């Protein structure tokens, strides 16, 4: 069964064709970074306009790259996300499903991130042990930082989430503060590779061991205060040290709470997904600590970490398997799983 997936929840327009929920035949992503870079963050109105311009050529390329074979169903992100951006993808999906007379299914964006490691694995950074249920999943991106216990398809329990900024949002804001450009997290990851992660003692929010919630607003404040103290333009090794220390503060909290969650719930598998899961230091540290704790660590390849339609099509396939007679979900229906 070939499912066409469409993703337009934020600032990336993506379309993909996935066969039987696991085999990626195509996965096309059009990034809007150049559109939003001068503003230091995503501008919703500009994002929706860019989606309008990109959606048709992106879908056309995904279909052609997959061999233009007949599509058996269409899956589309129904939320959460920017309303204007979501509408572009949803209307395109409705039109395609109607024109081709195939089922249409709405997919929750965060759940798709959680299931992304089940599409395919990255041998260079994942455990060789196949991912099986149950597992603990950390979704970490510019808009989300949440921990879930995943028992099976559609059986999810929210264990903890950020009380303020998402981890990726905090890194992007620190990057903007340091004059690194957008997206700041990507620049911080690159510069941190040559920096000293112990140069500055930035705070680790929500340190209480029993809590599985996160907070990164204090980190931003601390970095801003340190930058003010340093005064002169921060560059060279000093800039690398600030980046490394900032990133280490974020990674330490993400890794520790994820492992605590896995041990507390007695699961053997732990996954990370979302844009920040492409971060070099986070992958490295999570792999090291999981090995020490006897846990199997899984992470999607980098092209499936950021927002993409392959994860939407993959989850859409499994959603359709649970529908009697391939009846389509109502795109505006309330989710029955605790994803927010």
């Amino acid at each position: 069964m070939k499912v066409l997936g469409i993703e337009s929840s934020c600032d990336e327009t993506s379309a993909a064709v996935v066969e039987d929920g696991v085999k990626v035949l195509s996965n096309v992503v059009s990034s809007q970074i150049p559109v939003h870079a001068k503003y230091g963050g995503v501008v919703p109105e500009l994002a929706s306009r860019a989606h309008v311009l990109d959606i048709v050529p992106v879908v056309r390329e995904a279909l052609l790259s997959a061999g233009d074979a007949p599509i058996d169903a269409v899956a589309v992100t129904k939320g959460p996300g920017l309303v204007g951006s979501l509408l572009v993808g949803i209307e395109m999906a409705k039109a395609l499903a109607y024109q081709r007379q195939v089922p249409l299914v709405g997919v929750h964006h965060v759940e798709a991130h959680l299931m992304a490691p089940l599409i395919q694995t990255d041998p260079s950074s994942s455990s060789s042990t196949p991912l099986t249920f149950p597992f603990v999943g950390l979704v970490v991106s510019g808009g989300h930082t949440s921990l879930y216990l995943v028992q099976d398809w559609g059986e999810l329990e929210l264990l903890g989430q950020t009380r303020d900024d998402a981890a990726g949002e905090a890194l992007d804001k620190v990057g903007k503060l340091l004059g690194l450009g957008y997206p700041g997290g990507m620049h911080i990851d690159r510069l941190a590779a040559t920096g000293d992660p112990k140069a500055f003692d930035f705070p680790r929010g929500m340190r209480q061991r029993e809590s599985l919630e996160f907070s990164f607003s204090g980190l931003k404040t601390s970095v801003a205060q340190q930058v003010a103290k340093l005064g002169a333009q921060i560059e060279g090794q000093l800039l690398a040290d600030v980046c490394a220390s900032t990133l280490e503060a974020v990674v330490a909290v993400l890794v520790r709470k994820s492992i605590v969650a896995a041990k507390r719930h007695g699961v053997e598998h732990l996954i990370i997904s979302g844009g920040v899961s492409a971060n070099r230091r986070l992958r490295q540290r999570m792999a090291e600590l999981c090995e020490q704790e006897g846990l199997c660590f899984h992470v999607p390849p980098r092209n499936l970490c950021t927002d993409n339609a392959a994860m939407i099509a993959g989850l859409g396939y499994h959603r359709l398997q649970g529908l009697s007679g391939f009846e389509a979900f109502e795109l505006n229906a309330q989710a029955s799983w605790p994803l927010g």
Side-chain angles (χ1 to χ4, degrees):
M1 181 181 186
K2 295 183 177 65
V3 178
L4 169 67
I6 296 176
E7 154 63 25
S8 65
S9 63
C10 190
D11 63 335
E12 284 154 329
T13 312
S14 181
V17 177
V18 176
E19 186 173 11
D20 296 334
V22 292
K23 185 178 180 180
V24 180
L25 303 181
S26 67
N27 186 33
V28 180
V29 180
S30 176
S31 173
Q32 296 180 11
I33 288 178
V35 175
H36 305 286
K38 64 180 178 180
Y39 303 101
V42 177
V43 181
E45 176 62 23
L46 296 181
S48 59
R49 291 182 184 183
H51 284 303
V52 171
L53 295 175
D54 292 343
I55 190 71
V56 171
V58 164
V59 169
R60 181 185 295 119
E61 184 179 347
L63 291 172
L64 289 174
S65 297
D68 207 20
I71 298 300
D72 301 302
V74 178
V76 63
T77 303
K78 68 174 183 177
L82 302 175
V83 175
S85 295
L86 287 167
L87 282 173
V88 175
I90 289 171
E91 293 307 311
M92 183 66 176
K94 285 181 177 180
L96 285 168
Y98 179 79
Q99 186 267 331
R100 297 188 178 223
Q101 290 295 290
V102 295
L104 171 65
V105 59
V107 170
H108 196 290
H109 179 81
V110 176
E111 186 180 14
H113 272 306
L114 283 168
M115 300 306 177
L118 290 165
I119 297 176
Q120 61 187 79
T121 58
D122 183 352
S124 67
S125 57
S126 295
S127 168
S128 58
T129 305
L131 175 59
T132 58
F133 298 108
F135 61 83
V136 162
L138 171 69
V139 177
V140 55
S141 66
H144 308 280
T145 301
S146 307
L147 272 170
Y148 295 91
L149 175 63
V150 185
Q151 299 283 9
D152 206 334
W153 295 103
E155 295 183 22
L156 315 173
E157 178 186 349
L158 178 62
L159 303 178
Q161 60 187 337
T162 182
R163 290 188 174 183
D164 39 61
D165 293 343
E169 179 185 3
L171 289 172
D172 283 344
K173 288 180 177 177
V174 169
K176 185 176 181 180
L177 176 69
L178 295 171
L180 300 180
Y182 175 80
M186 179 178 66
H187 296 295
I188 288 175
D189 187 29
R190 175 178 55 82
L191 290 167
T194 58
D196 178 5
K198 297 180 180 179
F200 300 95
D201 186 20
F202 292 132
R204 274 70 165 158
M206 302 292 293
R207 303 183 78 154
Q208 306 95 323
R209 185 174 179 82
E210 64 275 9
S211 172
L212 295 178
E213 295 192 315
F214 303 89
S215 173
F216 298 102
S217 60
L219 171 63
K220 290 187 310 178
T221 302
S222 181
V223 174
Q225 291 173 341
Q226 186 62 60
V227 169
K229 288 179 183 178
L230 293 172
Q233 185 176 3
I234 302 174
E235 55 187 14
Q237 187 59 48
L238 181 59
L239 177 59
D241 290 346
V242 172
C243 289
S245 299
T246 301
L247 183 58
E248 197 67 16
V250 172
V251 168
V253 173
L254 294 175
V255 171
R256 182 172 61 83
K257 288 182 180 285
S258 298
I259 290 178
V260 167
K263 303 292 279 188
R264 182 178 298 175
H265 291 276
V267 302
E268 297 180 0
H269 298 269
L270 192 157
I271 73 106
I272 58 173
S273 192
V276 180
S277 67
N279 182 278
R280 169 199 55 83
R281 179 57 176 163
L282 177 57
R283 285 172 172 243
Q284 177 189 53
R285 192 63 181 146
M286 190 72 84
E288 292 172 353
L289 269 293
C290 281
E291 184 176 3
Q292 290 181 21
E293 296 292 336
L295 299 172
C296 296
F297 171 53
H298 307 266
V299 60
R302 283 181 168 82
N303 67 320
L304 295 184
C305 288
T306 55
D307 294 348
N308 66 89
M311 67 181 189
I312 303 301
L315 180 56
Y317 166 82
H318 290 279
R319 286 278 168 217
L320 286 162
Q321 300 311 299
L323 297 178
S324 175
F326 283 177
E327 295 174 2
F329 281 175
E330 289 293 334
L331 285 171
N332 61 354
Q334 291 295 317
S336 58
W337 49 96
L339 288 159

